[in-house]
Amino acid sequence: MATPIGHTLAGYLGYQLMPSPKHSLSQVRLWGAIALANLPDLDFLPGLLMGNAFAFHRRGSHTIIAALLVGSLVALSLRLARRWGTQVPKFSNVSLWQWGVWATAVYLGHLCLDFLMADRIPPYGLQLLWPFSDVFFIAPIALIPGFNFEAIVSWHNLAVVGIEIVWLVPMIWLAGAIATQSEKS
């Protein structure tokens, strides 16, 4: 499982990938992307209340269906806000449908990071196709070592965060460079 730092960096990458608005709501888009990228891990909360943080983790919230639902809810909420007369600015002529696709993609970024990491807690992987299948999926070769929840403050976990940074920061830089270049055109 990726760390909150890795998921936050993935959210920032999603922020970079949406056309840059010339509007004060840019910060809303940034924090929205970070929230979307971390949203699947809220499945820890019901487990914490039951005394087992991992009871529901990597199940329903870590599915393609959940990503599609979240993207649809983003598009629908923006549509309803516009219908009710709330000022919802257009960012670089991005349609509501495109906002939904973007939100789905940012959410899926979380699932991709978790899929590519070594998993230390059984059952290993994610139930990507739930409710159609109970199979857990995980990459055959982990690109990032798994986080150690038994020793949260450790050299191993610091190395995990470092590897996430090494993977994600160049992608963020590239997305930012492409966005800056497209603005100049």
Side-chain angles (χ1 to χ4, degrees):
M1 296 180 306
T3 69
I5 293 169
H7 290 310
T8 298
L9 288 171
Y12 190 77
L13 175 60
Y15 166 78
Q16 291 282 64
L17 292 173
M18 184 56 113
S20 179
K22 304 285 191 237
H23 196 278
S24 62
L25 286 181
S26 177
Q27 291 297 314
V28 172
R29 183 173 53 94
L30 170 62
W31 292 109
I34 290 171
L36 283 169
N38 283 284
L39 184 62
D41 281 342
L42 288 182
D43 62 4
F44 275 117
L45 296 178
L48 280 173
L49 295 174
M50 293 175 48
N52 177 5
F54 297 99
F56 303 103
H57 190 54
R58 295 173 285 126
R59 288 178 163 64
S61 68
H62 285 69
T63 66
I64 294 169
I65 293 291
L68 292 169
L69 285 172
V70 166
S72 298
L73 286 172
V74 166
L76 179 64
S77 64
L78 289 172
R79 181 175 175 89
L80 290 174
R82 282 188 181 163
R83 179 174 283 174
W84 291 334
T86 305
Q87 285 293 344
V88 179
K90 284 190 172 185
F91 293 135
S92 305
N93 297 322
V94 177
S95 71
L96 297 179
W97 179 83
Q98 288 169 309
W99 279 109
V101 170
W102 173 79
T104 300
V106 172
Y107 194 100
L108 285 171
H110 179 110
L111 306 185
C112 287
L113 273 179
D114 282 357
F115 177 79
L116 294 170
M117 287 196 74
D119 196 346
R120 296 171 158 259
I121 300 167
Y124 304 111
L126 316 166
Q127 282 186 315
L128 291 172
L129 300 178
W130 183 88
F132 307 108
S133 170
D134 288 336
V135 174
F136 282 79
F137 295 89
I138 191 164
I141 298 173
L143 298 180
I144 305 170
F147 192 79
N148 184 354
F149 285 93
E150 290 81 37
I152 291 178
V153 179
S154 66
W155 289 110
H156 171 83
N157 287 345
L158 184 61
V160 170
V161 170
I163 292 168
E164 289 174 333
I165 290 169
V166 166
W167 276 103
L168 291 164
V169 167
M171 288 187 245
I172 291 167
W173 177 83
L174 182 61
I178 290 169
T180 301
Q181 192 63 28
S182 67
E183 285 176 11
K184 291 179 181 178
S185 311

